[in-house]
Amino acid sequence: METIEKIFKLKEANSSVKQELIAALTTFVSISYMLFVIPSILSASGMKQGTIFTALVISSAIGSFIMGFLANYPIILAPTLGSASFFAYTVCQGMHINWQTALSGVLVASIIFVLITVLKLRELVIDAIPQDLKYAISAGIGIFIAFIGLRNAHIIVPSSSTMVALGSFKSAGIWIATFGLILTIILMCLNVPGSIFIGMICTAIFGIVLHQIPLPKEIISLPPSLAPSFGQAIFHLKDVNTINMLIVVITFLLVTFFDTAGTLIGMTQQAGIVDKDGKIPRIGRALLSDSLGMIVSSICGVSPLGTTVESSSGIAMGGRTGLTAVFTGFFLLIAMFFSPLLTIIPTTVTAPALIIVGVLMASNLAKISWDKFEMALPAFMIVLGMPLTYSISDGLALGIITYPITMIFSKRGKEVSPIMYILFFIFLIYLWMINI
């Protein structure tokens, strides 16, 4: 126990091993659906789903260990839906690049990431973002998470006429998610410890009782082999010498850079890690952890790791140190052998947790200077942009591009950091590149 206290400084963070364990369990349950969604997406690249599953679990566990021990943050690393979709549909299918070469592109981008992190360029960028916009990023991610939860619960569904609409209550899934949401709300109002985690477990049981969530046919199974993908990124480095691959590398850099920046700001705000001056302690170590995690994922054979918004569910349950990330990493490794059990945790079970966490994170809206239009507009563009574009980095781009414009024409241009002016042009290039 003394060693754990020395490494993770639990007392200083006003936490305990039990609290971090509950937070890790909640984070793991929240992220478990990704263990099946990501392989399904990446299989479009030509990779085998079984191999992807093993690569995803191992790289996410190692990445989370690095984040926990190096940065002492309660944030886990895993491939994101955005990076996985870009890898499979844009790079492999759209640009006709084989998955082995695409992994090499991730590896090159990862190495560049490590270099710019060591040079503290990423840290400078995050520190340069005004505090009002950081609050907006946190709130925007909260609304984005809630939107994902509502979508996963089928409470909100796509509509050809109105873009989105209220889902049909004839669906059993919506009743399962609604049951979980109401139960979790009641538990939260009663201040029951572990409310979100208890809510998810009860929701899964409710779904099983209704025969809408099937019981697994087996409990334990050996994980598929990692051999087909392991090391392919290294073996195909010689193929990263084309214009197309240069565009791929730069795009991976930009997407993961700003996804990570936005998520880290949001998660650290939620965890109360940010100091009074708006600085994020150990941010350099967190960014280095993220960069090293990307290298691990490329070598194992999966799309880039990134800081996950699902970490917010564990933070909401009291996760305050890297012990949460380390525990979650162990749960991920265990999951390799108990993967059949994860089928009882569909997105309808985790949806209520995401909605509740979204509410908690949206509280940062109150801290934005809405009475100053030059700050209010870019903040609003971030908050609105993230859920509507279904992308943290795209929403961040809209706000960062707007910010210098409103400040200049409010005669406050001199207050804008030179880095923010540089980001203005970088984001313009970024938006152009992802829409080529």
Side-chain angles (χ1 to χ4, degrees), residues 127-378:
D127 286 343
I129 297 175
Q131 188 60 41
D132 281 274
L133 299 193
K134 287 180 178 176
Y135 289 139
I137 291 168
S138 180
I141 291 174
I143 295 172
F144 179 43
I145 290 172
F147 182 69
I148 293 174
L150 290 167
R151 178 69 183 86
N152 290 346
H154 307 298
I155 295 174
I156 297 294
V157 296
S159 169
S160 58
S161 56
T162 60
M163 291 187 287
V164 292
L166 189 66
S168 171
F169 278 82
K170 294 179 181 179
S171 165
I174 197 171
W175 284 108
I176 293 172
T178 302
F179 167 83
L181 181 59
I182 293 173
L183 176 62
T184 308
I185 290 171
I186 293 171
L187 293 173
M188 292 289 290
C189 290
L190 294 174
N191 294 315
V192 175
S195 302
I196 294 176
F197 179 68
I198 294 171
M200 285 191 287
I201 298 301
C202 291
T203 305
I205 294 172
F206 180 68
I208 291 171
V209 170
L210 292 182
H211 301 291
Q212 295 300 316
I213 298 176
L215 287 171
K217 295 180 181 178
E218 55 184 1
I219 296 175
I220 300 175
S221 66
L222 289 174
S225 173
L226 187 65
S229 65
F230 187 79
Q232 292 298 320
I234 298 173
F235 304 146
H236 288 263
L237 277 174
K238 62 182 184 301
D239 300 327
V240 188
N241 57 0
T242 64
I243 296 297
N244 273 354
M245 283 308 300
L246 176 62
I247 293 173
V248 168
V249 170
I250 294 174
T251 306
F252 270 132
L253 269 173
L254 292 173
V255 171
T256 50
F257 185 111
F258 295 114
D259 257 357
T260 297
T263 307
L264 271 177
I265 290 170
M267 298 300 103
T268 51
Q269 290 273 3
Q270 183 192 3
I273 296 173
V274 182
D275 61 27
K276 294 180 181 178
D277 298 323
K279 302 289 184 181
I280 305 175
R282 307 184 305 281
I283 186 65
R285 294 186 180 187
L287 294 169
L288 181 59
S289 301
D290 171 71
S291 305
L292 295 174
M294 278 184 66
I295 291 179
V296 172
S297 67
S298 63
I299 293 174
C300 286
V302 74
S303 55
L305 295 187
T307 51
T308 62
V309 292
E310 286 80 8
S311 299
S312 58
S313 60
I315 293 172
M317 282 295 95
R320 293 295 178 270
T321 74
L323 189 56
T324 293
V326 172
F327 275 145
T328 306
F330 281 119
F331 292 144
L332 284 166
L333 292 178
I334 293 171
M336 279 200 303
F337 301 94
F338 291 87
S339 58
L341 288 177
L342 297 175
T343 58
I344 65 172
I345 309 174
T347 55
T348 49
V349 170
T350 58
L354 298 181
I355 296 168
I356 296 297
V357 169
V359 173
L360 299 176
M361 293 187 69
S363 63
N364 280 300
L365 286 169
K367 300 175 184 178
I368 298 171
S369 303
W370 295 109
D371 58 329
K372 298 176 181 176
F373 184 77
E374 61 272 24
M375 282 292 188
L377 182 63

Side-chain angles (χ1 to χ4, degrees), residues 34 38-39 42 47 51-60 78-80 83-84 87 99 102-104 106-107 110 226 229-230 233 252 293-305:
M34 299 281 280
I38 295 295
L42 290 179
M47 302 171 71
T51 301
I52 299 168
F53 172 82
T54 304
L56 185 156
V57 172
I58 292 175
S59 59
S60 298
T80 63
S83 65
F87 184 100
W99 61 265
L103 286 175
S104 297
V106 174
L107 178 58
S110 306
L226 187 65
S229 65
F230 187 79
F252 270 132
M294 278 184 66
I295 291 179
V296 172
S297 67
S298 63
I299 293 174
C300 286
V302 74
S303 55
L305 295 187

Side-chain angles (χ1 to χ4, degrees), residues 1-11 13 15-25 27-28 61 64-76 273 282 314-315 318-331:
M1 290 296 290
E2 289 183 8
T3 303
I4 292 175
E5 172 60 37
K6 185 177 180 180
I7 295 173
F8 299 106
K9 299 179 174 58
L10 298 175
K11 291 181 180 177
S15 186
S16 64
V17 173
K18 179 182 177 181
Q19 186 172 308
E20 299 288 312
L21 181 61
I22 292 173
L25 278 167
T27 300
F28 170 72
S64 297
F65 290 152
I66 295 172
M67 180 66 79
F69 285 114
L70 184 60
N72 197 22
Y73 278 8
I75 298 171
I76 68 167
I273 296 173
R282 307 184 305 281
I315 293 172
R320 293 295 178 270
T321 74
L323 189 56
T324 293
V326 172
F327 275 145
T328 306
F330 281 119
F331 292 144

